[in-house]
Amino acid sequence: MMRSCKEVTRLVSQGEERDLGFLERVELRMHLAACRGCRNASDQLRFLRRAARSLQEEDEHTAGRA
Amino acid sequence: MGARETVSSPLPSPDDLQARIQAERPYLLRYAALQLRDRDAAEDAVQETLLAALTGSSGFAGRSSLRTWLTGILKHKIVDHIRRSSREQAAPDPAEGDDADFDALFDRRGHWVDPPQAWENPEGALEQGRLRAVLEECLKGLPARTAQAFMMREHLGLDTPELCKALGVTPTHSWVLLYRARMALRLCLERNGFGR
Ligand SMILES: [Zn+2]
């Protein structure tokens, strides 16, 4: 594993913003295949997008829900 | 997604619509405050939204819910406000202390001290709306610009050029802000028992 977990989390985040280079993609994939902590973190960082979308209440029917 | 409002009923009368628009004010204020992090700015943005809605209410065709329509207007006002305030105060350089906040998560070689565990059924929590309150609290704990970067990217769906324009920062800077926001929010959700 050439990349540290810290670097990998940064790559996962940047991968949402820009096209990663070939080498970055290979290193990322290799690290994720071997590191469960980063796989979990990666899933969770991406899940945040769907969570952020949910911060808008669609219409009046959901408004009263606590 | 929640059930869509049925639109079989005839369009409301102007007076009725005006009252219904005013009734959405508390919701809109909460929504704006979450993203602007400034009560006065949130009041302004909502005021502008209500004004635009009341003068242009013909734009409300009743196809979406009133709330969705008003929120759509408010989103633009929110980005306008962030852009204006970013122009007034230059962004601090995020380079110094780069991600030092997360040093405790990793050992000296940059590996997890305590590797993240898989979350238990996060989608379920999302669907049941259990996530919203926790996420809102976590957002409030972030520095204002970090939270704004996250919300404009992930909630409003701005891309990098739009985000940079709104915040007055370079792409690299915007990625640093987003990385910090995501890492901090992930950690905050976990510490609040999310996913267990
Ligand atoms: Zn790792």
Side-chain angles (χ1 to χ4, degrees), chain A residues 6-7 9-18 45 48, chain B residues 91-102 142-151 153-154 160 163-164 167 169-185:
Chain A
K6 187 173 185 177
E7 288 171 329
T9 56
R10 196 179 290 130
L11 268 188
V12 166
S13 180
Q14 286 197 8
E16 301 281 305
E17 310 310 319
R18 64 175 174 91
L45 292 179
L48 283 173
Chain B
D93 190 347
E96 90 263 14
D98 191 4
D99 313 323
D101 331 351
F102 306 119
L142 293 181
R145 293 174 63 80
T146 308
Q148 287 172 348
F150 177 82
M151 285 297 280
R153 177 71 184 106
E154 306 289 46
T160 294
L163 192 62
C164 291
L167 290 172
V169 298
T170 62
T172 313
H173 185 156
S174 77
W175 298 335
V176 172
L177 289 174
L178 288 173
Y179 175 66
R180 285 188 188 159
R182 288 168 177 150
M183 289 291 277
L185 290 173

Side-chain angles (χ1 to χ4, degrees), chain B:
Chain B
M1 294 294 108
R4 286 221 162 253
E5 193 180 27
T6 49
V7 290
S8 51
S9 54
L11 284 178
S13 72
D15 282 353
D16 182 32
L17 186 62
Q18 201 159 2
R20 282 177 57 205
I21 286 174
Q22 287 294 348
E24 291 294 338
R25 200 184 147 79
Y27 169 77
L28 296 173
L29 203 52
R30 207 170 67 84
Y31 181 85
L34 183 65
Q35 297 177 69
L36 289 169
R37 301 285 294 261
D38 177 298
R39 190 77 193 173
D40 291 340
E43 290 272 3
D44 285 352
V46 169
Q47 206 53 44
E48 290 163 19
T49 299
L50 295 183
L51 198 65
L54 290 168
T55 54
S57 54
S58 56
F60 179 59
R63 273 191 297 272
S64 60
S65 81
L66 184 64
R67 172 165 296 178
T68 303
W69 179 64
L70 291 170
T71 309
I73 301 172
L74 179 56
K75 285 175 178 176
H76 291 283
K77 305 291 182 195
I78 287 171
V79 177
D80 284 348
H81 268 265
I82 292 174
R83 189 180 300 136
R84 259 179 273 153
S85 71
S86 301
R87 222 176 280 151
E88 282 161 19
Q89 49 193 30
D93 190 347
E96 90 263 14
D98 191 4
D99 313 323
D101 331 351
F102 306 119
D103 276 355
L105 296 181
F106 303 99
D107 65 20
R108 221 167 271 158
R109 281 158 48 240
H111 295 286
W112 296 104
V113 172
D114 189 10
Q117 304 290 308
W119 285 348
E120 193 70 43
N121 192 17
E123 301 292 341
L126 190 60
E127 274 159 33
Q128 294 160 27
R130 278 189 284 125
L131 179 65
R132 186 182 298 150
V134 186
L135 186 56
E136 286 194 13
E137 276 313 304
C138 288
L139 273 166
K140 287 177 193 163
L142 293 181
R145 293 174 63 80
T146 308
Q148 287 172 348
F150 177 82
M151 285 297 280
M152 284 195 288
R153 177 71 184 106
E154 306 289 46
H155 182 74
L156 300 178
L158 269 56
D159 61 17
T160 294
E162 292 167 330
L163 192 62
C164 291
K165 202 174 147 203
L167 290 172
V169 298
T170 62
T172 313
H173 185 156
S174 77
W175 298 335
V176 172
L177 289 174
L178 288 173
Y179 175 66
R180 285 188 188 159
R182 288 168 177 150
M183 289 291 277
L185 290 173
R186 194 201 73 78
L187 196 61
C188 181
L189 289 183
E190 199 166 77
R191 284 183 177 158
N192 282 280
F194 184 75
R196 259 182 276 135

